[in-house]
Amino acid sequence: MFRIAGWPYRRARTSDWAASARGALELDSGSRVGVIGGGPAGSFFSYFLLEMAERMGIELKVDIYESRDFGSPGPANCNHCGGIVSESLVQMLATEGILLPTEVVQRGIDSYVLHMDVGDVRIETPLHEKRIAAVHRGSGPRGVTAVKWHSFDKFLLDLAVKSGARHLRERVRSVSWSEGRPRISTKAGEPKSYDLMVAAMGVNSGGLKLLDELGIECEPPKTTTTHISEFFLKPEVVERYLGSAMHVFLLHIPNLEFAALIPKGSHVTLVMLGREINKELIQSFLDSPEVNRCLPQECRGEHRVCSCSPRINIRGAVRPFADRVVFVGDCGMTRLYKDGIGAAYRTAKAAATAAIFDGVSAEAFRRHYWPTCRAIGADNRIGKLIFAATQTMMKLRPARRGVLRMVSGEQCKPPERRRMSTVLWDVFTGSAPYKEVLLRTMRPGFVPHLLWDMALATRPTAKADA
Amino acid sequence: MGELGRLYKNGECIVELGEAGDCMFVVQSGTVEVVRQQGGQTICLAKLAEGEFFGEMALFEKEVRSATVRARGDVRVLTVDKKNLLRRINEDPSLAFRMVQKMSKRIRDLNAELVRMKLGQ
Ligand SMILES: Cc1cc2nc3c(=O)[nH]c(=O)nc-3n(C[C@H](O)[C@H](O)[C@H](O)COP(=O)(O)OP(=O)(O)OC[C@H]3O[C@@H](n4cnc5c(N)ncnc54)[C@H](O)[C@@H]3O)c2cc1C
């Protein structure tokens, strides 16, 4: 835990100032906002802050500190991620008037294929529509020489810049207080003081440690190691093996919660999530017959051009705010295993709304920003339950056969009767809150239906058929 | 490959007058036209291009669709689910701002049209 003094009410170093200046803890024309990190959370925050400020007739100065060059390919310029923009986020962005350009969306996803040792099944979206976007966060992995598809993070950062933010291609080296205001220092420039400092540095650059210096009281997020590999293949090979489906693997491999192969333009991204994913676990996954059935060995091997082990949140930060400081995206609160970019959008927008309409005091963030984080955190606890139940089910072969039978049987039914399919769809794509998924499994008929399918799938004749 | 939504061919109906609806639509690429049939004639009420939405009335009222919307040339349209959108608007009412803004613009255009018609009479 690092201490960020000042929550819930400013104490320690800044207490005298705060006592006299509480009334001034709001943004007004001329106020300056410093955003550390130009990933989705930083860009969304800046974009929405400036949009709302304009509506309110407030002129703000927003600086985004981001040292990565998202326009250049290679791992150094990429925020490592599976690159799935969820169904719900695609819809919300469209409603906000933000359409993802075709140069950024490498593939629209319209279905997913569930792979288990007992068989595979394809689950189509009820509307037969491509509402999930597969993107690269940077301009492509190692080995890309000519940029064909544009970076998702660059698209968002450009959006923020078009709204009036200033992008400073600098890495923040230290933060401190200066006359009651947070001050940001980089290697090159003069230190700058801000009326609000936004921490949007994710959990993968060690940036959170910088905030120790502020001496505020905040419990940082808990994280675990994951794995990503990129396979470079011809577009027609990607199309032949994966099509426009996300391929999800539910295998009985200890510590592996979720693994997926995601088709992009001329790459396939492998994502593995679980508890401390290591080399042995990755190898046993790649050696499994289910993976070989989906993407044969000849498409892997030397085609694996890039891999990394980024960290992912398994628990959000506690009290991610103080007077004039707020944490958004991964370094504040995110969804468990799914839709991290969607959570960055939600937290960033909630923080921006609080800052414009309620002020930048710890109390304003506690009242108007923290509820969004708390709702995500509460839903994650349900998500943990769902993932634990899925893991337990996956250990039992009859249960795996039952799930497969139930999902296969549902594909010819109308959408409202595809109960297991929609549950799995929402768990794997992150399209709905975990609470809603849980409630759907509690509807009358769901469990009896599953038990019935388990019984039928494990009859001696069914086994012989399989 | 990198396109989202569903492709509709020229003339294909996306929503039809009188049908029940539980979603709205956002045009991803191309143009759609909003039409009504009156006395055997087809009247074009509006043309909507990339980024514009339609079918939003179904989100706020329980009425059936008030017009037909069809593709003019190849069009990509994204469906926005009512439930998903209302859940998000509940958490973040500002999400409805752009819709209110567009609807207000439509009222303004309709008023102008009404004035023109009254003067014409
Ligand atoms: C294996 C894996 C797969 C995932 N797959 C998906 C997926 O498919 N879909 C999805 O929605 N989410 C996914 N996520 C989650 C998603 O990556 C994150 O939730 C999302 O990136 C959070 O955005 P952010 O802006 O908070 O942080 P980040 O994306 O990490 O951005 C932080 C930015 O801050 C910058 N920064 C850090 N320190 C400094 C500093 N000192 N000075 C200046 N800049 C700094 C960094 O350069 C970076 O650009 C995945 C995560 C993992 C680990």
Side-chain angles (χ1 to χ4, degrees):
Chain A
M1 184 206 279
F2 55 84
R3 301 246 151 223
I4 305 182
W7 190 90
Y9 306 102
R10 182 168 297 283
R11 299 175 217 126
R13 294 179 212 183
T14 53
S15 56
D16 344 343
W17 162 79
S20 63
R22 269 202 95 73
L25 286 171
E26 49 192 43
L27 298 179
D28 221 327
S29 278
S31 293
R32 297 164 53 87
V33 179
V35 181
I36 311 177
S43 296
F44 277 133
F45 178 89
S46 310
Y47 173 78
F48 288 115
L49 186 85
L50 286 160
E51 287 279 300
M52 283 184 267
E54 198 198 332
R55 277 177 213 160
M56 298 297 288
I58 305 172
E59 261 186 52
L60 298 178
K61 291 195 171 68
V62 178
D63 289 342
I64 305 176
Y65 292 86
E66 175 57 68
S67 54
R68 290 196 211 273
D69 174 11
F70 298 126
S72 301
N77 296 313
C78 160
N79 282 322
H80 318 284
C81 155
I84 286 287
V85 185
S86 73
E87 206 177 15
S88 53
L89 182 59
V90 165
Q91 292 177 66
M92 290 317 108
L93 292 183
T95 310
E96 300 270 16
I98 303 173
L99 299 187
L100 300 182
T102 45
E103 310 85 64
V104 171
V105 180
Q106 301 200 11
R107 208 170 273 265
I109 304 284
D110 59 7
S111 54
Y112 76 81
V113 182
L114 178 62
H115 298 267
M116 295 189 280
D117 59 336
V118 292
D120 311 332
V121 60
R122 175 181 292 272
I123 303 176
E124 306 274 350
T125 52
L127 294 166
H128 297 283
E129 191 176 313
K130 291 179 175 167
R131 289 203 296 184
I132 296 176
V135 302
H136 269 144
R137 299 284 301 275
S139 288
R142 186 177 283 124
V144 167
T145 43
V147 175
K148 195 166 166 196
W149 278 283
H150 294 200
S151 149
F152 175 76
D153 285 18
K154 183 171 188 319
F155 165 69
L156 292 183
L157 187 55
D158 287 350
L159 208 65
V161 169
K162 264 185 229 145
S163 298
R166 194 163 64 127
H167 172 203
L168 304 171
R169 265 208 66 195
E170 292 174 55
R171 194 170 168 76
V172 173
R173 290 292 164 104
S174 68
V175 290
S176 54
W177 291 107
S178 163
E179 294 172 19
R181 281 176 167 67
R183 187 168 60 174
I184 294 179
S185 308
T186 60
K187 195 175 168 190
E190 277 281 296
K192 290 188 187 76
S193 291
Y194 291 97
D195 298 287
L196 171 65
M197 188 186 85
V198 183
M201 64 269 276
V203 289
N204 275 299
S205 336
L208 270 171
K209 288 205 179 73
L210 289 176
L211 301 170
D212 282 350
E213 296 168 38
L214 285 181
I216 27 182
E217 201 172 88
C218 164
E219 216 174 296
K222 270 204 180 117
T223 60
T224 188
T225 308
T226 62
H227 176 78
I228 299 178
S229 281
E230 293 279 355
F231 301 94
F232 177 58
L233 296 161
K234 288 194 175 118
E236 54 274 23
V237 177
V238 180
E239 183 65 38
R240 177 164 10 120
Y241 287 109
L242 303 185
S244 49
M246 182 169 139
H247 291 252
V248 175
F249 296 83
L250 279 187
L251 307 180
H252 178 33
I253 298 179
N255 289 347
L256 180 65
E257 303 260 13
F258 171 88
L261 285 170
I262 300 156
K264 306 274 168 76
S266 44
H267 287 88
V268 170
T269 307
L270 163 66
V271 173
M272 294 176 72
L273 308 179
R275 253 164 298 139
E276 300 300 334
I277 307 281
N278 57 27
K279 265 191 184 155
E280 292 76 55
L281 203 153
I282 298 165
Q283 205 48 50
S284 73
F285 172 77
L286 288 174
D287 290 343
S288 68
E290 294 78 18
V291 174
N292 273 298
R293 267 202 316 262
C294 177
L295 193 67
Q297 180 61 36
E298 65 265 25
C299 297
R300 295 184 268 134
E302 79 272 16
H303 293 281
R304 191 161 153 191
V305 287
C306 207
S307 57
C308 59
S309 305
R311 299 196 70 81
I312 198 167
N313 296 39
I314 45 172
R315 208 212 58 202
V318 180
R319 298 184 292 272
F321 48 80
D323 283 343
R324 299 194 187 278
V325 179
V326 66
F327 296 61
V328 293
D330 271 16
C331 67
M333 180 66 77
T334 188
R335 285 192 73 195
L336 180 71
Y337 295 145
K338 292 282 125 65
D339 194 19
I341 304 170
Y345 156 78
R346 280 170 70 188
T347 56
K349 196 172 175 198
T353 311
I356 292 288
F357 294 101
D358 306 291
V360 295
S361 65
E363 182 59 10
F365 288 129
R366 188 184 66 77
R367 278 166 171 260
H368 302 281
Y369 169 56
W370 182 235
T372 300
C373 299
R374 216 175 31 209
I376 298 175
D379 196 53
N380 284 347
R381 285 193 283 281
I382 300 174
K384 267 192 188 139
L385 245 165
I386 292 176
F387 279 104
T390 313
Q391 280 264 328
T392 312
M393 293 259 298
M394 287 309 113
K395 283 184 193 151
L396 310 168
R397 195 174 160 83
R400 297 200 292 275
R401 294 173 70 99
V403 169
L404 187 72
R405 193 174 194 285
M406 189 166 168
V407 174
S408 308
E410 282 174 357
Q411 296 316 298
C412 49
K413 290 183 181 166
E416 63 280 6
R417 291 186 57 205
R418 295 186 204 162
R419 300 172 196 188
M420 181 61 90
S421 308
T422 49
V423 163
L424 294 177
W425 176 270
D426 286 335
V427 171
F428 297 136
T429 61
S431 299
Y434 291 121
K435 183 178 169 193
E436 199 177 306
V437 175
L438 183 71
L439 290 177
R440 251 183 274 145
T441 63
M442 289 174 174
R443 284 198 193 145
F446 183 89
V447 174
H449 203 311
L450 175 61
L451 292 174
W452 177 245
D453 274 309
M454 276 166 64
L456 289 182
T458 45
R459 284 175 311 169
T461 48
K463 274 186 188 162
D465 297 345
Chain B
M1 204 157 56
E3 284 158 334
L4 294 173
R6 186 173 149 191
L7 180 71
Y8 293 87
K9 294 275 173 203
N10 187 25
E12 214 178 319
C13 267
I14 305 160
V15 302
E16 209 148 352
L17 174 82
E19 68 183 11
D22 62 354
C23 53
M24 81 166 194
F25 301 86
V26 181
V27 181
Q28 296 282 300
S29 63
T31 311
V32 299
E33 56 182 5
V34 186
V35 296
R36 283 222 26 188
Q37 301 279 347
Q38 198 78 47
Q41 259 195 321
T42 303
I43 302 158
C44 178
L45 301 176
K47 283 183 197 140
L48 306 173
E50 189 177 307
E52 301 205 72
F53 57 79
F54 57 92
E56 74 288 355
M57 288 178 188
L59 304 180
F60 304 110
E61 309 165 329
K62 286 210 170 104
E63 301 287 323
V64 292
R65 299 285 190 203
S66 64
T68 294
V69 181
R70 62 190 189 197
R72 272 173 72 95
D74 282 0
V75 180
R76 277 220 163 248
V77 174
L78 185 90
T79 312
V80 178
D81 305 325
K82 178 175 178 172
K83 201 171 161 195
N84 192 8
L85 184 60
L86 293 185
R87 190 200 301 125
R88 281 286 306 137
I89 290 178
N90 186 43
E91 184 183 298
D92 166 24
S94 78
L95 187 58
F97 183 85
R98 198 171 155 270
M99 293 167 71
V100 174
Q101 204 175 29
K102 287 258 171 190
M103 286 161 94
S104 138
K105 163 94 175 42
R106 281 178 197 167
I107 294 173
R108 193 183 285 272
D109 291 347
L110 283 175
N111 283 344
E113 186 69 27
L114 197 67
V115 169
R116 265 199 303 275
M117 281 169 68
K118 286 204 167 174
L119 287 176
Q121 276 174 2

